[in-house]
Amino acid sequence: MSQGFVNSDTQATTMNNELVQVINGDAEFVPLESLRAQLSQLGFDSKGFAYSVVAILGCQSSGKSTLLNMLFGTSFPVMQAEHGRSQTTLGVWLGLSASGGTGGSVDESILVMDVEGVDSRERGEEHTAFERKTSLFSLALADVLIVNTWHNDIGRYVAGNVALLKIVFELNLQLFLKPGASRKLILFIIRDHVPELTPLSKLTDMIMSDMHSIWTSLPKPAAFGPSPQLSEFFEFRFTSLPHKVLRADQFVTDVDALRRKFVDASGPDYLLLAPSARQTSVPADGFAKFAENIWETIKANKDLNLPTEKEMLATYRCDEISQAALAKFSAAAEPLQQAQLRGELLQQFGQAAAMLLASALAEYDPQASRYVADIAQAKRLSLEKAVLVLLYSMFERQLTLLSQQVAASFLKSLAAKFPSDGLASRDFAKQASAARQASLDEFLHGAAEACLASAAAGEWTSEAALVQLQGLIDERIASAREEQIKALNKEVKADINSGYAKPFDKLLESAEPDALWPKLRQLHESVLTRAESFLLDRLQGFAASSTEQQQRVKELQDLAVHVLKSRFLEKTKFLQYILNKRFETCFGQDERGLPRRWKANDDVAAIFARSKRQAEQLLEAFCVLRLDPSLDQVDFLSAESTADPEPSLVILSPEEASALREQFSEAARSLYLQALRDQENIATVSRVPTYMIVLVLMLGFNEFLYILTNPML
């Protein structure tokens, strides 16, 4: 058999890229001095304890070498798929990582071990013994053992490496593990994973179930105590990678993320131990001899012999039958999966799942029953687990679709209960509670139909999906409630506006300035009392707590003040006209409300001052909201005023009020001067002597009589 890589051209290339063979294709350890010399050429023997060992196991042609090259910058030869699928790596090879930098030291190195793939066609029937030896060799030397497996091999006894790991764990306990030794890290990398079909957590659970089953079945040396736990000796971690060809970009991204876990010691998911905690704990210049001793110990152990021919045949055939049954099951489940991906809710999914499971087992049982019972039963359990993993993922998708359907119908049902005119619901709490319960009942009925009636699927439950749906419905109820509260607030605001409308305008027109705010306060209290009563009555339909009622009433009070202030602000646009009108009414009309005819003895100045004061008092009333009676005596227009009202109460700023006052004063002054001129004219007429009037009448009497007697003139 060839001693290196299968292709001789490839072998020449690998030597130039500084790869070192440890075990050749004939299961022989390479000459010790040759190995030492090659490691020395790589500069490895000077590393001391500053190195870690990472090894990889997995099926032949599963992409192990490609993955190592991408992770660690090595150059292990890879299979050329266009030439067919065949063996590439023979034996065990070492490469020094080009990444470096582990443990936070620039001198730190990773020694990468590429192991011949298991289950190879080229080795034929002798593959099992060699695979066990190289796998145990890798586990004994490595600080991190990577198990490279395809996602569709999980649940299989041989293809999933369960049988191999069982033997390797047992012999590792017997030959190499000592009480108190540091834990081995086993990293499962699941290839071609499609998380949309099977979540990583489900695959992880299946693998860990297999690991615990292996551990439970192993005899443990007495030195480890009465009941040693798997977690005392091994740490398991899991990750997955997408298809390298079909999702090439994502594959590169995920591999780069995994690489950082080997080289970034500051990261939370760093995979390598500190030098003092590593399993090998030998200096680099003694690694070659240490590896040789490990290999000789493994070769001398007779427990690594092949199983019986019947067991081999049973394992092979039962695995083959299981794969055929699983393939037939997958084909039957494919239309259902596609329907779910299109968003279709499957009817009676539980019955369909039970039929699919029964069909898969019925396909397996008649043929497998002819082989070794224990192996046939183990393969049956693996098949059942694989089927249930896929069915459970479909069950979870079914629950998701059901939740979406129920949530959508809930919104429609709730909206149909509200008034169509935009007004708020009068019985929101009862309507929402009834719609919620109806939706949850609909979900529970659909979830019960989706569950698989099987003892093996006893852990299937819709509880988590139900809790999530309840949370979603409660969120939508809260959102709908807020919208209905907004509609109620609109009704309340309309009621407040209606209460202020005509009375407010009437008071501004007719009330004396000093009585304006007392009357406005009475109006405000009346409007507020009516609105509060309306609001509290309607909040009963929302099942509002006392705390919420107090909060809503406080918001109502603020709203009422805001509406009142808004009305004042609206009037300020016409305030100049209002002031002028108030002044003209007081100045231009007498006590009877008739237009004033100025007389010579009228005190125009006093009437002007009184009228001007009336208008200025009205301006003063516009400056600040005086809902607090103590503000009635404060003169905000006075230059000596030190009052500093809250900004929310201010209607007119001092600057705006002063500008309006000046404009009004100019207009009032014009009317005052006109009144003085009218009074002077009247005084002039009243000063004509009486004799002059008599004389005019006497001299003009004949002319006056002539006109009366001759109307045609």
Side-chain angles (χ1 to χ4, degrees), residues 486-527:
K486 288 180 181 178
L488 177 58
N489 287 340
K490 288 181 181 179
E491 294 183 47
V492 172
K493 185 174 182 180
D495 183 68
I496 293 174
N497 273 316
S498 174
Y500 278 131
K502 292 182 179 180
F504 179 83
D505 293 341
K506 187 175 181 180
L507 285 175
L508 285 185
E509 292 176 0
S510 61
E512 293 295 324
D514 56 352
L516 176 61
W517 270 109
K519 292 183 178 180
L520 280 176
R521 282 195 291 270
Q522 291 178 1
L523 175 62
H524 178 71
E525 289 300 324
S526 173
V527 170

Side-chain angles (χ1 to χ4, degrees), residues 11-56:
Q11 182 177 1
T13 302
T14 58
M15 294 306 295
N16 291 335
N17 288 324
E18 301 180 327
L19 299 178
V20 179
Q21 188 176 40
V22 182
I23 310 258
N24 63 27
D26 294 327
E28 297 293 333
F29 199 89
V30 299
L32 180 61
E33 293 305 317
S34 173
L35 177 59
R36 284 176 173 171
Q38 292 184 73
L39 291 176
S40 177
Q41 290 177 4
L42 296 179
F44 175 74
D45 59 351
S46 63
K47 296 295 181 181
F49 291 96
Y51 72 96
S52 297
V53 180
V54 176
I56 190 167

Side-chain angles (χ1 to χ4, degrees), residues 115-233:
V115 182
E116 178 178 330
V118 302
D119 198 23
S120 66
R121 173 177 57 84
E122 287 78 3
R123 284 198 177 271
E125 297 181 354
E126 65 182 33
H127 71 89
T128 305
F130 185 81
E131 291 167 4
R132 291 179 178 181
K133 293 174 183 177
T134 55
S135 298
L136 182 57
F137 179 74
S138 303
L139 182 62
L141 287 177
D143 299 295
V144 177
L145 178 64
I146 297 173
V147 179
N148 186 68
T149 183
W150 300 104
H151 78 286
N152 54 358
D153 284 339
I154 295 174
R156 298 174 180 172
Y157 193 72
V158 175
N161 297 310
V162 177
L164 178 63
L165 288 174
K166 179 178 181 180
I167 299 297
V168 170
F169 281 5
E170 180 179 359
L171 294 174
N172 191 52
L173 272 175
Q174 295 176 9
L175 300 178
F176 303 116
L177 281 184
K178 305 297 180 185
S182 60
R183 295 192 303 171
K184 287 282 189 179
L185 174 58
I186 298 180
L187 173 62
F188 281 88
I189 298 180
I190 301 170
R191 303 290 292 273
D192 291 2
H193 179 220
V194 183
E196 292 82 359
L197 294 180
T198 307
L200 179 60
S201 60
K202 297 300 179 184
L203 299 177
T204 299
D205 291 343
M206 288 188 66
I207 294 174
M208 285 307 302
S209 176
D210 290 336
M211 296 301 102
H212 284 292
S213 297
I214 290 174
W215 186 258
T216 302
S217 66
L218 293 181
K220 286 85 173 178
F224 293 108
S227 57
Q229 300 300 311
L230 176 65
S231 58
E232 296 176 27
F233 303 96

Side-chain angles (χ1 to χ4, degrees), residues 7 10 61 66 69 76-88:
N7 187 299
T10 304
S61 305
T66 300
N69 292 341
F76 295 110
V78 298
M79 183 190 71
Q80 302 300 319
E82 63 270 23
H83 297 152
R85 306 189 68 83
S86 60
Q87 192 176 48
T88 303

Side-chain angles (χ1 to χ4, degrees), residues 27 71 92-93 131 277 281 286 358 420 481 499 552:
L71 284 174
V92 179
W93 287 75
E131 291 167 4
S281 298
S420 58
R481 187 180 191 273
R552 299 294 182 186

Side-chain angles (χ1 to χ4, degrees), residues 376-632:
Q377 180 61 22
K379 286 294 180 181
R380 188 184 195 276
L381 291 175
S382 298
L383 171 63
E384 189 174 33
K385 284 183 180 180
V387 169
L388 287 175
V389 166
L390 181 55
L391 287 177
Y392 188 74
S393 68
M394 295 175 66
F395 170 71
E396 290 183 321
R397 177 62 179 167
Q398 181 78 355
L399 293 184
T400 299
L401 293 172
L402 179 61
S403 296
Q404 293 172 353
Q405 176 178 292
V406 169
S409 63
F410 166 78
L411 283 180
K412 293 180 181 178
S413 172
L414 186 61
K417 298 178 184 295
F418 299 152
S420 58
D421 53 5
L423 298 178
S425 170
R426 293 183 174 273
D427 207 4
F428 177 86
K430 290 184 178 179
Q431 293 169 338
S433 177
R436 181 182 189 274
Q437 189 58 50
S439 294
L440 294 181
D441 290 344
E442 179 186 352
F443 174 82
L444 289 173
H445 176 73
E449 287 187 345
C451 278
L452 174 62
S454 169
E459 70 276 9
W460 284 25
T461 175
S462 60
E463 183 177 349
L466 176 62
V467 171
Q468 186 176 8
L469 177 61
Q470 288 173 329
L472 177 61
I473 288 178
D474 289 342
E475 288 177 4
R476 295 184 175 179
I477 288 177
S479 177
R481 187 180 191 273
E482 196 61 33
E483 290 300 318
Q484 290 298 301
I485 290 291
K486 288 180 181 178
L488 177 58
N489 287 340
K490 288 181 181 179
E491 294 183 47
V492 172
K493 185 174 182 180
D495 183 68
I496 293 174
N497 273 316
S498 174
Y500 278 131
K502 292 182 179 180
F504 179 83
D505 293 341
K506 187 175 181 180
L507 285 175
L508 285 185
E509 292 176 0
S510 61
E512 293 295 324
D514 56 352
L516 176 61
W517 270 109
K519 292 183 178 180
L520 280 176
R521 282 195 291 270
Q522 291 178 1
L523 175 62
H524 178 71
E525 289 300 324
S526 173
V527 170
L528 195 57
T529 299
R530 185 179 69 177
E532 284 184 10
S533 176
F534 174 77
L535 176 64
L536 291 174
D537 178 64
R538 295 293 296 277
L539 284 176
Q540 298 302 315
F542 288 87
S545 65
S546 58
T547 301
E548 183 184 5
Q549 291 182 27
Q550 294 173 4
Q551 177 189 347
R552 299 294 182 186
V553 168
K554 177 63 172 61
E555 293 172 355
L556 169 64
Q557 294 170 347
D558 294 340
L559 175 62
V561 173
H562 173 74
V563 170
L564 181 59
K565 182 177 179 179
S566 298
R567 287 195 165 271
F568 268 104
L569 290 173
E570 184 67 25
K571 292 296 183 182
T572 58
K573 299 177 182 178
F574 314 101
L575 186 54
Q576 186 66 49
Y577 168 78
I578 295 172
L579 295 176
N580 291 341
K581 184 178 180 182
R582 177 58 66 96
F583 174 78
E584 291 172 2
T585 301
C586 296
F587 188 64
Q589 295 180 3
D590 58 19
E591 291 77 3
R592 296 171 298 172
L594 298 175
R596 192 185 298 277
R597 295 181 62 82
W598 296 106
K599 301 176 183 178
N601 59 348
D602 285 342
D603 189 351
V604 177
I607 296 173
F608 170 76
R610 185 170 61 253
S611 300
K612 186 170 182 290
R613 186 165 55 256
Q614 283 272 329
E616 288 180 342
Q617 286 177 340
L618 184 59
L619 177 61
E620 174 72 26
F622 263 85
C623 288
V624 178
L625 292 178
R626 300 171 192 256
L627 296 174
D628 183 356
S630 63
L631 296 176
D632 285 351

